[in-house]
Amino acid sequence: MPKILRVLLWVTISLLGALALATIALHRGEEINAMWLVVAAIATYAIGYRFYSKFIAVKLLLLDPMRATPAERLENGRDFVPTNKWVVFGHHFAAIAGPGPLVGPVLAAQFGYLPGTLWIIVGAVLGGCVQDFVILLFSVRRDGKSLTEMAKAEIGKIGGFVSYIAVIAIITILVGAVALIVVNALKRSPWGTFTIAMTMPIAILMGVYLRRIRPGKVLETSVFGFLLVLAAIFGGEWVAHSPSWAAAFTLTAPTLAALIIVYGFAASALPVWLLLAPRDYLSTFVKLGTISLLALGIVALRPTLHMPPLTRFVNGTGPVFAGTVFPFAFITIACGAISGFHALISSGTTPKLIRRETETRLVGYGGMVAESLVAVMAMIAASVLQPGVYFAVNSPAGIVGQAPDAAAATISNWGFPVTATEMSSLAHAVGEQTLFNRTGGAPAFAIGMAHIFSRSLGGEAVMAIWYHFAIMFEALFILTIVDAGTRVGRFMLQEALGHIWKPIGRTSWYPSILVTSAMMVAAWGFFLWQGVKDPLGGINSLWPLFGICNQLLAAVALCVATTIVVKMGRVRYIMVTLVPLFWLVAVTFTAAYEKVLNPNPRIGFLAHARQLVSSGASERLIFNDQLDAAVASVLVVLVGVVVIESALEWVRVLSGRKTAEVKETPYVMTRLALEEQG
Amino acid sequence: MKLITILRRAILLLGSVLREIFDETAYERFLARHHSSAGTASYADFCREQQQAKVQRPRCC
C-alpha cells in the first residue's frame, strides 16, 4: 500500500477512535449505542498494536528474527515445537481467556460503563499487553523459563519465593471466588444444576468415544459432546417443570458448595481425571464458540446501553461491592486489563512454541488485545440491562433485603426504577424462580447475553434457552478452573513440601497426592464456605481479594521485566514497564490498605470484624475477616519487599556497583530463516 | 479466485489452530516421535504423557 494511503488509514482510525472515546466519555443523560464502545476499543487496540508494540519491539526488546528460539533449538516434538504464529496465538488466547474478563467488568458496571471501559482499553494497551509481551519474550530468551525461575535468577531468592507464594495465594483465592460464582448462579436453579450435572456423564461418554471409538479425534468428540450438552439444556427445561425432578435439583448454596468441594477433591486426588479430561476440551470448545457468538451478536444487534456512564456508586457505597472507583474499579476489572496470571502462561507453554522472536509481538501483545476485547463485550452485556434489573440481580440480600417488594423499593430509591413484577416476569422468561440476590456477576452476564442472543436469534421465546446456555458456558469452564487449579496447587505444594520431607515431593506417590489435594481443597474450600455464609454475598470480600492477589502478581512480573530491562542497558525506555508497575503498586497497595484498615465495615475487614464482635457474632465469622485481612497484608508486604529488592538491584546496576548481567541463553543463529529462503 | 484462495487459507489456518488447541496435532507429533500408528493403545499412552504435563499447567482466570 502506498505510504500516503497508509498514513491516511491510520489518521482515519485515530480520528474514529478519538470520536468514539469522546462519545462514551462525554455523553451524559442519553443512552448510547454499544458500538461506540466497540469502535473505541478496536481503534485504540489497532493503534496500540501498530505503533506502541512496534516501538517496544524495536526500541526496548530489540527483537531479532535471526535469533533461534528454544522451540527451534530444543525441539523435541513434545514441549518444544516450532509452531505457526497464528496457531500459537489461538493456543495462547485459549489459555489466557477465563472467567475473569467476563465477571470483572460485570461487577465493575456498578460504577457505570465509563470507568471500567476506559480502564479495560487503556490498561490493556499500556499495561496488560506490555506485560504479556515482555514476559513472553524474556521467557523465550531463557529457554521458556517460568516467571518464578526468572524472578529468582534476575531479582534474587526473595523474588522467586514471593512469586511462588503469590501464585499459590492467587490460585487458592481464585478457585474459592469462581466456585462461589457457580454456587450463586446455580442455587435454587434446577435447570442450571441439572445441565451442569449432566456434563459429568457427558464427559465420560466423550472419554469412551475418544479412547475406544475414535482415538485422538478431539474436535469431533467435542462437537459430539457439545450436541449432548445442548440436549441437556433442553432437558433442563423439562426438569425445571417436573415437580419431583425440580425438587431433586433445587439445591441450596451450602449444598452446592459442599458438592463442589467434594468434586474438587475427587478431580485432584482420585483417578477420575482421565475420565473428566474430555470436559476440558468441551469447555474450551464452548468458550471459544460462545465468545465468537457474543461478538457477532453485539455487532449484528448493536444494542443500546441502558446503564449510565457513571452511577452514584463511584463514591464507594455500591451494593455489588463496597469501595470507591479508585482503586476498586481497577482491582475488580482484573484480567480484562492486566492479569498477573497471564505472566504464568506467557512463561509456561507459549514460549516453547514460538518459532521466531518477532512473533512474540502478535502472540503476547495481540493475545491480550483479544482478551481485553472480551472484557469490553462483558461490559456491554452488563450495560444493556436496565440498571434497576442489574442492581436487583447483583445486590445481596444483606443490602437490599430478601423480600422482592422491599428489594425493588430500595433499588428504585437509589434512582434505578425496578418493580418486583418486572423481576418476576424476567425470572419467568429465563426459566428461574427468582433473579433477586444472584450475586457474583455470572447471572447478570447471562441475562445480558440472553438479551443480546434472543434479539438476534430466536426472539423472546427462546430467552430461557439462551440464559441457561450462558450459565452452562460460565459454570462449565469455571468448574474446569476448579479442578485444574486444585491439581496445579497440589503439584506446587508437593514440590515445596518435598524440600521438607522428600517422599511428599514424589508427585505420583498416592499418600502425598491425597494429603496435598486435601490441603489445597481445604484452603479454597475455606474461602468458598466463607463466601456462601457471608450475608453480603461473599463476592464483596472475595473478588477484591482475588483482584489484589492477581494485580500483585502482575506487579512481581513487571518488577522482573524492569530488572531485565535495566540489565539489558535499555534504561532509556524503562518507562514502558515502570509506569504500569507504579500504577499497579499504587492501586494494589491502596486497595489492600482500604480492605484491611478502612473504618467502614463494608469495606475494611478489621472494621467488619469489630462490628461482628460488638454484635456478638460467632467467633468463626470474626476469624474469617481477620484471616482475609492477614492474607491481604502478608501479600502486600511480600510484594513490597520484591519492589524494594528490585529497585535496589536497579540502583546497583545503574550506579556501576554491580555488573549488568542478563541470564539469557547464548545467542544462536536460526536455521529457519535460511530454510525459508530456500 | 483470489478471494477463494484467501478464504481457503483462512479456513485451513482456523483448522490448524483448533487442531493445536484440541491436542490433535500433539497426538500426531506423539505418533511420529514413537513411530507408532493411531489406535486405542497409542492414544492411551499419549493421554498418560499429556496428564503429567497438564497437571503442572495453570488455567488462567
Side-chain angles (χ1 to χ4, degrees):
Chain A
M1 194 190 286
K3 193 176 175 189
I4 183 75
L5 277 183
R6 280 208 308 270
V7 171
L8 273 175
L9 175 73
W10 286 107
V11 168
T12 311
I13 292 173
S14 307
L15 289 174
L16 204 60
L19 174 70
L21 280 169
T23 304
I24 65 172
L26 303 175
H27 251 72
R28 292 288 183 277
E30 279 177 56
E31 291 171 344
I32 66 163
N33 193 284
M35 285 310 286
W36 286 112
L37 270 65
V38 175
V39 171
I42 290 177
T44 313
Y45 298 148
I47 292 163
Y49 184 79
R50 169 64 185 81
F51 296 102
Y52 192 47
S53 76
K54 179 88 178 171
F55 167 79
I56 296 170
V58 173
K59 299 286 184 186
L60 175 72
L61 300 175
L62 308 171
L63 296 190
D64 184 351
M66 298 308 287
R67 184 173 180 161
T69 61
E72 180 190 346
R73 283 185 292 102
L74 308 174
E75 183 176 0
N76 60 5
R78 195 174 63 183
D79 312 311
F80 294 92
V81 183
T83 310
N84 175 291
K85 63 180 177 183
W86 289 104
V87 175
V88 189
F89 175 87
H91 196 275
H92 182 74
F93 175 70
I96 63 172
L102 299 177
V103 171
V106 172
L107 299 177
Q110 78 157 342
F111 295 124
Y113 64 77
L114 184 59
T117 305
L118 289 182
W119 173 236
I120 291 168
I121 297 173
V122 177
V125 168
L126 299 179
C129 298
V130 174
Q131 178 211 245
D132 293 11
F133 180 20
V134 297
I135 292 294
L136 176 60
L137 188 268
F138 292 152
S139 179
V140 164
R141 285 190 179 162
R142 284 160 182 75
D143 284 348
K145 279 202 164 52
S146 70
L147 178 69
T148 312
E149 289 169 317
M150 288 196 287
K152 201 171 157 187
E154 303 292 346
I155 303 174
K157 279 186 180 163
I158 294 176
F161 172 73
V162 170
S163 45
Y164 176 86
I165 296 287
V167 173
I168 281 273
I170 191 179
I171 289 176
T172 305
I173 295 164
L174 164 74
V175 174
V178 295
L180 180 63
I181 291 169
V182 174
V183 167
N184 285 345
L186 297 184
K187 67 182 178 190
R188 301 189 307 275
S189 171
W191 189 337
T193 307
F194 171 80
T195 310
I196 289 303
M198 281 300 105
T199 62
M200 313 273 178
I202 289 171
I204 292 170
L205 268 178
M206 284 172 68
V208 172
Y209 184 83
L210 193 56
R211 289 173 144 247
R212 303 272 167 229
I213 302 169
R214 299 275 288 164
K217 299 289 178 196
V218 181
L219 262 170
E220 181 185 306
T221 312
S222 300
V223 172
F224 161 68
F226 178 66
L227 294 175
L228 290 177
V229 168
L230 284 185
I233 294 174
F234 283 97
E237 185 174 19
W238 177 83
V239 165
H241 290 116
S242 152
S244 54
W245 283 98
F249 283 95
T250 302
L251 304 178
T252 60
T255 310
L256 279 164
L259 286 173
I260 290 177
I261 288 171
V262 170
Y263 163 79
F265 179 77
S268 172
L270 303 180
V272 294
W273 183 68
L274 278 179
L275 292 176
L276 291 175
R279 226 182 43 155
D280 247 24
Y281 294 125
L282 180 62
S283 145
T284 307
F285 187 86
V286 174
K287 177 172 75 182
L288 296 178
T290 310
I291 287 171
S292 314
L293 204 60
L294 181 60
L296 285 175
I298 288 172
V299 173
L301 186 68
R302 297 184 297 282
T304 300
L305 305 183
H306 297 299
M307 184 68 78
L310 290 167
T311 68
R312 54 184 280 177
F313 300 125
V314 289
N315 65 4
T317 57
V320 182
F321 59 90
T324 46
V325 69
F326 179 88
F328 288 99
F330 307 96
I331 291 297
T332 307
I333 294 285
C335 321
I338 179 164
S339 165
F341 225 77
H342 291 188
L344 303 182
I345 312 289
S346 293
S347 60
T349 321
T350 311
K352 295 167 186 156
L353 302 174
I354 295 284
R355 199 170 47 178
R356 304 283 273 277
E357 269 197 3
T358 41
E359 293 170 0
T360 53
R361 182 178 163 215
L362 171 76
V363 177
Y365 199 98
M368 180 59 209
V369 159
E371 166 102 329
S372 180
L373 190 59
V374 172
V376 171
M377 293 194 302
M379 179 61 82
I380 291 172
S383 303
V384 297
L385 299 177
Q386 289 293 343
V389 171
Y390 168 87
F391 286 110
V393 175
N394 281 306
S395 302
I399 301 282
V400 293
Q402 200 98 49
D405 285 321
T410 306
I411 295 162
S412 300
N413 280 339
W414 290 336
F416 305 111
V418 67
T419 63
T421 320
E422 196 184 328
M423 288 304 294
S424 171
S425 311
L426 184 61
H428 183 71
V430 299
E432 289 288 0
Q433 291 158 12
T434 177
L435 286 172
F436 277 106
N437 319 134
R438 288 201 171 263
T439 59
F445 176 72
I447 299 169
M449 225 167 106
H451 177 78
I452 293 167
F453 283 169
S454 64
R455 289 185 63 194
S456 336
L457 288 167
E460 294 289 316
V462 293
M463 189 144 169
I465 297 290
W466 281 122
Y467 172 82
H468 285 282
F469 177 83
I471 289 287
M472 176 279 294
F473 146 73
E474 291 176 282
L476 183 64
F477 81 94
I478 283 178
L479 285 180
T480 60
I481 284 174
V482 169
D483 58 54
T486 309
R487 279 195 305 275
V488 171
R490 180 254 283 175
F491 196 85
M492 290 181 76
L493 276 180
Q494 283 181 300
E495 273 191 328
L497 295 175
H499 292 293
I500 301 167
W501 190 49
K502 275 224 158 109
I504 211 150
R506 285 186 353 232
T507 49
S508 53
W509 188 46
Y510 216 70
S512 162
I513 292 176
L514 285 176
V515 169
T516 47
S517 295
M519 285 168 74
M520 200 58 213
V521 171
W524 64 253
F526 174 85
F527 286 103
L528 169 61
W529 198 256
Q530 170 190 335
V532 165
K533 293 289 176 187
D534 184 352
L536 294 177
I539 285 295
N540 181 54
S541 55
L542 271 189
W543 193 262
L545 203 54
F546 156 68
I548 290 169
C549 289
N550 188 10
Q551 308 288 289
L552 283 175
L553 187 59
V556 172
L558 287 167
C559 278
V560 173
T562 310
T563 307
I564 295 174
V565 167
V566 170
K567 290 182 176 179
M568 282 168 71
R570 312 303 296 164
V571 183
R572 200 172 157 198
Y573 304 106
I574 197 174
M575 288 303 166
V576 170
T577 53
L578 202 57
V579 168
L581 173 59
F582 274 147
W583 174 256
L584 281 184
V585 167
V587 166
T588 49
F589 283 39
T590 312
Y593 175 83
E594 295 272 323
K595 285 308 293 178
V596 176
L597 294 171
N598 192 298
N600 178 351
R602 280 200 62 222
I603 303 175
F605 291 128
L606 295 180
H608 192 242
R610 283 194 296 275
Q611 189 188 48
L612 290 173
V613 170
S614 58
S615 66
S618 78
E619 287 286 321
R620 168 77 200 280
L621 288 175
I622 297 162
F623 173 75
N624 288 348
D625 278 323
Q626 289 166 340
L627 183 86
D628 290 348
V631 168
S633 308
V634 168
L635 281 169
V636 162
V637 169
L638 286 174
V639 175
V641 170
V642 171
V643 173
I644 293 167
E645 190 79 1
S646 306
L648 290 174
E649 184 80 355
W650 308 338
V651 171
R652 280 193 288 267
V653 170
L654 293 177
S655 64
R657 275 186 285 144
K658 188 174 178 182
T659 319
E661 189 194 352
V662 282
K663 309 280 193 308
E664 289 179 1
T665 41
Y667 183 97
V668 175
M669 171 110 61
T670 178
R671 293 186 323 269
L672 296 174
L674 298 173
E675 282 169 13
E676 279 168 17
Q677 283 165 8
Chain B
M1 278 310 279
K2 204 177 170 190
L3 185 68
I4 291 173
T5 314
I6 292 170
L7 272 176
R8 195 170 157 270
R9 272 196 199 153
I11 291 167
L12 284 175
L13 185 65
L14 182 66
S16 308
V17 173
L18 292 173
R19 283 165 53 74
E20 183 66 44
I21 292 173
F22 290 93
D23 291 336
E24 289 194 355
T25 327
Y27 180 46
E28 279 167 16
R29 288 196 295 263
F30 174 87
L31 293 175
R33 248 187 311 127
H34 292 265
H35 307 290
S36 54
S37 52
T40 50
S42 61
Y43 191 67
D45 290 341
F46 169 72
C47 287
R48 267 193 290 277
E49 186 183 276
Q50 283 284 96
Q51 185 187 9
Q52 200 52 37
K54 279 196 171 175
V55 78
Q56 299 169 56
R57 202 178 294 166
R59 189 170 276 270
C60 202
C61 44

